[in-house]
Amino acid sequence: MSDERRMDVLRAIVEDYVSTSEPVGSKALVERHALGVSSATIRNDMAALEESGFIAQPHTSAGRIPTDKGYRVFVDRLTTVKPLSGPEKRAIGAFLEDAVDLDDVVDRSVRLLAQLTHQVAVVQYPSLRRSALRHIELVPVGQRHLLVVLITDTGRVEQRTLEASAELDELGVAQLRATLNARVAGRRLAELRGVVDEVSQRYTDDDLALLRQVVGVVEETLAQESEERVVLAGTANLARGGTDFARSLGPVLEALEEQVVLLRLLSEMAEDTAAVSVRIGHETQHDGLVETSFVTSGYGDEGGSVARVGAIGPTRMDYPATMASVRAVARYLTRILAG
């Protein structure tokens, strides 16, 4: 048996099963696909695919359906992710570019992706740990209290209040703000360590103490993992595909509610080198998600991705279309945040 023909048969089974949700038989493959061989030959190919664990027979006298292993080979053999149409791209751009702030961008993105994929859409807020600072604002709110406002390059805004060890001088605060912005703009957390040493020679003891406090607040804020979160949309789409789940939807919904589960998966998938990463079934390593697949792509800036966007649905999903939609939304997110 030709390995290439066997993979063609597998591809045809995946495509037909995704399209019809019915187990696929050899007769249907002959009728729908130009495989160039007889029904008997295809039956032999299917038997070999089943023996190798790529397809399975759900019950006696039925056709075959792909397994996690079969879907994995299908996804890995996709040479290209089909691009969205021109109108689809323009619609995405127009919808996202009207957003007024980061929260609006995330909200629009997750709702849009749910509509495009007909799956559960997931958008991770930009990680503070991987974000760079765009601006620091220092606002005295009393004789000894200072409001520290951090604005990252991804549009995220964080506020913290600190108590100074000495009374604040407005002119001194203004000079400190100017100095810090000149030094920290565009820097990530790991690059902030030397800021105090760089500018300490020009400060008195009181001003240096305040500088250390402000830099400490900045480092502490950017290092906080508790601020990382995800936003979901389209959970109702799972109910529409309820027949794709052998068990109830309960375990899937419970897993989606546990943000720590999604954040772990997103963190692991961020290590993949592919532009679009796919975890299929048991590859999610979570019992509640064994009947789902998770498609994600990173978004951010030229320095690398700062978060991920993705779609979760049954393993019987249209992988090429889902991957294209996820990649497109991720690219628009990157473009908007970079702007």
Side-chain angles (χ1 to χ4, degrees):
M1 178 181 62
S2 163
D3 284 344
E4 280 304 311
R5 190 180 72 233
R6 180 182 65 181
M7 291 298 102
D8 287 341
V9 171
L10 176 61
R11 173 189 52 76
I13 291 172
V14 170
E15 291 176 351
D16 280 9
Y17 183 58
V18 167
S19 174
T20 68
S21 76
E22 296 292 336
V24 182
S26 58
K27 182 179 179 181
L29 291 177
V30 170
E31 293 173 350
R32 297 172 185 162
H33 302 272
L35 296 172
V37 293
S38 67
S39 180
T41 300
I42 290 179
R43 282 196 296 273
N44 290 335
D45 290 347
M46 292 173 70
L49 288 169
E50 186 173 8
E51 184 177 352
S52 298
F54 294 113
I55 59 176
Q57 188 175 30
H59 50 81
T60 307
S61 301
R64 304 300 191 274
I65 64 174
T67 62
D68 289 358
K69 184 178 179 181
Y71 283 125
R72 168 50 60 194
V73 171
F74 172 80
V75 169
D76 288 347
R77 288 177 68 88
L78 290 174
T79 54
T80 58
V81 176
K82 66 179 183 182
L84 298 182
S85 67
E88 287 175 321
K89 291 179 180 178
R90 288 191 292 273
I92 291 174
F95 185 68
L96 295 184
E97 286 168 1
D98 285 340
V100 297
D101 56 24
L102 178 62
D103 288 337
D104 195 17
V105 168
V106 170
D107 179 67
R108 286 170 176 260
S109 298
V110 74
R111 289 189 288 116
L112 174 64
L113 189 56
Q115 293 172 4
L116 289 172
T117 63
H118 306 293
Q119 313 288 358
V120 179
V122 180
V123 177
Q124 180 184 23
Y125 261 80
S127 168
L128 286 174
R129 294 177 64 87
R130 293 188 292 272
S131 299
L133 280 170
R134 177 175 291 169
H135 183 76
I136 296 178
E137 187 60 45
L138 303 178
V139 182
V141 290
Q143 291 184 334
R144 290 199 175 198
H145 288 86
L146 186 67
L147 178 65
V148 182
V149 182
L150 310 180
I151 303 174
T152 71
D153 59 346
T154 55
R156 190 162 174 176
V157 179
E158 296 290 326
Q159 298 183 17
R160 298 291 186 274
T161 301
L162 64 82
E163 184 175 0
S165 56
E167 289 189 7
L168 298 172
D169 172 69
E170 289 194 11
L171 179 59
V173 169
Q175 291 174 339
L176 177 60
R177 178 174 58 241
T179 300
L180 281 174
N181 280 303
R183 297 284 180 173
V184 305
R187 293 195 181 190
R188 299 179 188 271
L189 175 61
E191 301 171 311
L192 297 179
R193 308 301 183 191
V195 170
V196 175
D197 293 336
E198 290 176 10
V199 299
S200 60
Q201 292 83 0
R202 70 182 68 178
Y203 284 100
T204 64
D205 289 343
D206 287 344
D207 290 339
L208 183 58
L210 182 60
L211 169 65
R212 293 185 187 278
Q213 282 185 282
V214 172
V215 172
V217 166
V218 173
E219 291 180 338
E220 180 182 335
T221 302
L222 294 183
Q224 283 184 350
E225 295 184 356
S226 61
E227 293 293 332
E228 296 194 8
R229 58 192 175 99
V230 295
V231 178
L232 304 180
T235 306
N237 289 330
L238 290 177
R240 299 188 184 99
T243 56
D244 289 312
F245 300 98
R247 303 182 297 178
S248 73
L249 283 175
V252 180
L253 296 175
E254 289 174 4
L256 294 180
E257 288 177 357
E258 297 180 33
Q259 292 217 349
V260 65
V261 172
L262 296 179
L263 287 170
R264 174 186 62 80
L265 273 169
L266 290 166
S267 177
E268 291 174 355
M269 297 174 80
E271 298 176 2
D272 296 344
T273 57
V276 181
S277 302
V278 183
R279 293 288 174 91
I280 300 169
H282 289 84
E283 294 174 358
T284 61
Q285 297 183 354
H286 190 282
D287 185 60
L289 298 176
V290 293
E291 295 183 278
T292 70
S293 290
F294 196 6
V295 179
T296 72
S297 184
Y299 71 90
D301 55 28
E302 294 180 357
S305 66
V306 295
R308 297 188 78 77
V309 57
I312 299 176
T315 53
R316 189 190 69 84
M317 71 162 58
D318 185 343
Y319 288 95
T322 301
M323 292 167 71
S325 296
V326 168
R327 185 182 64 174
V329 171
R331 286 180 171 177
Y332 276 99
L333 274 170
T334 295
R335 192 177 77 184
I336 290 170
L337 294 179

